[in-house]
Amino acid sequence: MRTRKIGAFEVTEIGLGCMSLSHAYGAPPSRAVAESLLLAAIDEGVTHFDTAALYGFGRNEQLVGEVLQPYRKRIMLASKCGMTGVDGKRVIDGRPATLKATCEASLKNLRTDVIDLYYLHRWDRTVPIEESVGALADLVAAGKIRTIGLSEVSAQTLRKAHAVHPIAAVQTEYSLWTRNPEYAVLGACEELGVSLVAFSPVGRGFLAGGVTDTSLLMEGDIRRGMPRFQAPQFEKNLGLLPGLAEMAKEVGATMGQLALAWVLSRSACIVPIPGTTSVAHLRENVAVSGVVLTQAQLERLGRIISPVNVAGARYPAATNVEIDTEDAPPEV
């Protein structure tokens, strides 16, 4: 694979989002399947692994830590704080003392002395962003984390945070059907020298053709509560896939590879982290480096699936109020 920069780190242009191995999409895979997937990523040369304290309420960090400890010096390890499980419930808490305590638990779970990239998973609106980032800066000074990231924040919040301590990366959803970063935060990242780490670059499996019947989604799968996966929006969105499938056949790639190639093309500062529980899909994702598209093909992709023809919001209303990312172009 080709490589891209996140701060001082050079990482493979396709990383691995580890969430689905423990969290969010119904019953997680067995330990054996999860371990095989992580080791296959190592074998494929992946060097960027992303987890969080929230995922499985610590279990994902423990899994990643146990399996990847022998390869620790070969990888860039990223995790997140500020949104964790408390008494079985998801809680957003950006207070400095909480962030520092979460970091200590993460270091133990990950079996490491230092976390390479540590994100504020959500901005806690009851705590000034400067205070939360100040706590993370203390962790940098203490040698517990190497660089600071933010997740799902606006350009304005990024600038406030960056004034306190350099921000290495902003993690946010970005794909053919989710273009919110283009409103402001992608431009701010390019201006400030910040990487944009794109999660769900294949639309939570939809853009790869992996979700065609929502009745088959397991109980506990977060997609069941997302407007794009609910009637009547889902049926409208299904109507977009034949055009994507036709183009994939024309260029000799998979639908998922087209989606990834499009995201990679948007800016040199973007590093996608698709997640999967399938070794075959993992290998398909990392092979995107061999997919070459012309500018005309990329523009066609952007028309086949775009905010103009996608139906439904990316999050339900209750979740959307927690997100700081711009959901409309900023006023000029």
Coordinates of all heavy atoms in Angstrom, one line a residue, residues 22 38 62 84 87 114 132 135 142 180 221 249 315:
S22 N -16.1 -5.5 18.2 CA -16.6 -5.6 19.6 C -17.9 -4.8 19.8 O -18.4 -4.9 20.9 CB -15.6 -5.1 20.6 OG -14.3 -5.7 20.4
L38 N -7.4 -9.2 12.8 CA -6.3 -8.3 13.2 C -5.0 -8.8 12.7 O -4.2 -8.1 12.2 CB -6.3 -8.2 14.7 CG -7.4 -7.4 15.4 CD1 -7.4 -7.5 16.9 CD2 -7.4 -5.9 15.0
Q62 N -8.9 -4.1 24.9 CA -8.3 -5.2 25.4 C -7.9 -6.2 24.3 O -6.8 -6.8 24.2 CB -9.2 -5.9 26.4 CG -9.4 -5.1 27.7 CD -10.5 -5.6 28.6 OE1 -11.2 -6.6 28.2 NE2 -10.7 -5.0 29.7
T84 N -17.5 7.1 27.0 CA -17.2 5.7 27.6 C -18.5 5.1 28.1 O -19.6 5.7 28.1 CB -16.2 5.8 28.7 OG1 -16.7 6.7 29.7 CG2 -14.9 6.4 28.3
D87 N -21.8 2.2 33.9 CA -22.9 1.4 34.4 C -23.8 0.9 33.2 O -25.0 1.0 33.2 CB -23.8 2.2 35.3 CG -23.0 2.6 36.6 OD1 -22.2 1.8 37.0 OD2 -23.3 3.7 37.2
V114 N 2.5 4.0 25.8 CA 2.1 5.3 25.2 C 1.2 5.0 24.0 O 1.3 4.0 23.3 CB 3.4 6.0 24.7 CG1 4.1 5.2 23.7 CG2 3.0 7.4 24.2
S132 N -10.6 20.5 27.8 CA -10.4 19.1 27.4 C -9.1 18.9 26.7 O -8.4 18.0 27.0 CB -11.6 18.6 26.5 OG -12.8 18.6 27.3
A135 N -6.2 19.1 28.9 CA -5.9 17.8 29.7 C -5.1 16.8 28.8 O -4.2 16.1 29.3 CB -7.2 17.2 30.1
A142 N 3.3 14.3 29.7 CA 3.6 13.2 30.7 C 4.1 12.0 29.9 O 4.5 11.0 30.6 CB 2.4 12.9 31.5
N180 N -20.3 15.9 4.8 CA -20.3 17.0 5.8 C -18.9 17.7 5.9 O -18.8 18.9 6.0 CB -20.7 16.5 7.1 CG -22.2 16.0 7.1 OD1 -22.4 15.0 6.4 ND2 -23.1 16.6 7.9
D221 N -27.9 -3.7 16.2 CA -27.1 -3.1 15.2 C -27.6 -1.6 15.1 O -28.8 -1.3 14.9 CB -27.4 -3.8 13.8 CG -26.5 -3.4 12.7 OD1 -26.3 -2.1 12.5 OD2 -26.0 -4.2 12.0
K249 N -18.2 -2.7 -12.4 CA -18.0 -3.7 -13.4 C -17.2 -3.2 -14.6 O -16.3 -3.8 -15.1 CB -19.3 -4.3 -14.0 CG -19.2 -5.4 -14.9 CD -20.6 -5.9 -15.4 CE -20.5 -7.1 -16.3 NZ -21.8 -7.6 -16.8
Y315 N -27.6 10.3 11.1 CA -27.9 9.9 12.5 C -29.3 10.3 12.9 O -29.9 11.2 12.3 CB -26.9 10.7 13.5 CG -25.5 10.3 13.5 CD1 -24.5 11.2 13.4 CD2 -25.2 8.9 13.8 CE1 -23.1 10.8 13.4 CE2 -23.9 8.5 13.9 CZ -22.8 9.4 13.7 OH -21.5 9.0 13.8

